[in-house]
Amino acid sequence: MLDVVRHIQETPGVELAGVAGYEGALRNAEEVRAYLRRLQDAVEHLRVRNPILSVGGSQWFDVIGRELVATQATIVLRSGAYVAHDDGYYRDRTPFNRMEGELRPALEIWAHVLSTPEPGLAIVGMGKRDAPYDEGLPIPRREGVTIVAIQDQHTVVRADRVEPGDLLAFGISHPCTAFDKWRTLPLVDGDYRVVGEITTYF
């Protein structure tokens, strides 16, 4: 890190503003607290005027808030899952499971049943190019539907009473990689009427 700092200080037109980190891959709150202490030490070591300290925070924002409350820096919390909560990874890990309140999933992927090659088996027109799969497979919203496999452009599901042309809805796990796949998202109301669009930048 010190080599990067020296390089910034020696580069005309470039100014060091602070420190950024990502704690989302850490396993427990104690590891997060230790990591945040290291980031705070780094900020103090740099001796930057009005420093910025930026951290991830979608899974650990309660720990971050308590740990950094007295930090002499401008805190930027990058909690992306607050705006597009999911049905998988963050649903199981959000601090709101331990607090009063609720975060509701905001993204769904709808796909047609393309074929039913045998009873109880269906091929759906959604694949890895459409849905996140790095932190868990999509979550079928229809009871009795389970994902067997996900391929580049198709998903194989076990499902009774589905026919080609049927629409199936899936929740997602991990919003970041959904934004990475969809540059424009339709915004719908409670009756699934399109009322706008959202452009993503990831």
Side-chain angles (χ1 to χ4, degrees):
M1 183 184 78
L2 296 179
D3 290 341
V4 174
V5 171
R6 280 193 292 270
H7 184 71
I8 291 172
Q9 292 171 338
E10 294 168 359
T11 303
V14 179
E15 182 179 349
L16 183 64
V19 174
Y22 175 68
E23 77 298 330
L26 299 177
R27 294 173 294 181
N28 56 59
E30 187 49 47
E31 287 186 5
V32 173
R33 282 190 283 269
Y35 179 69
L36 294 173
R37 287 192 290 271
R38 289 175 58 198
L39 290 181
Q40 290 173 287
D41 290 344
V43 169
E44 293 176 9
H45 180 78
L46 296 179
R47 293 184 173 85
V48 174
R49 181 180 298 177
N50 301 320
I52 295 170
L53 175 54
S54 177
V55 288
S58 289
Q59 181 176 343
W60 301 105
F61 60 79
D62 57 332
V63 177
I64 292 168
R66 288 191 296 269
E67 192 69 26
L68 299 184
V69 67
T71 301
Q72 298 301 309
T74 298
I75 306 301
V76 177
L77 193 59
R78 307 186 310 273
S79 302
Y82 86 93
V83 74
H85 201 51
D86 69 4
D87 283 289
Y89 185 86
Y90 287 111
R91 180 198 62 194
D92 294 336
R93 291 165 176 80
T94 176
F96 273 99
N97 289 337
R98 307 184 300 273
M99 303 161 65
E100 185 175 334
E102 146 181 72
L103 293 175
R104 290 180 294 169
L107 293 175
E108 289 181 334
I109 297 177
W110 287 76
H112 284 98
V113 174
L114 301 178
S115 67
T116 51
E118 61 183 66
L121 192 70
I123 309 299
V124 179
M126 170 192 74
K128 292 180 179 179
R129 299 184 185 191
D130 310 300
Y133 59 92
D134 60 318
E135 293 289 359
L137 296 177
I139 298 92
R141 291 284 177 83
R142 179 167 167 172
E143 191 173 336
V145 176
T146 57
I147 291 181
V148 176
I150 187 167
Q151 302 160 348
D152 279 352
Q153 296 178 324
H154 304 99
T155 297
V156 182
V157 301
R158 292 282 180 198
D160 294 324
R161 298 183 301 277
V162 297
E163 298 178 355
D166 287 353
L167 271 171
L168 297 179
F170 297 85
I172 59 103
S173 180
H174 197 198
C176 289
T177 45
F179 291 155
D180 189 40
K181 297 173 186 299
W182 294 88
R183 294 293 176 256
T184 303
L185 302 173
L187 181 65
V188 299
D189 64 15
D191 295 317
Y192 287 93
R193 292 182 297 234
V194 176
V195 295
E197 64 180 37
I198 299 171
T199 303
T200 65
Y201 300 92
F202 185 81

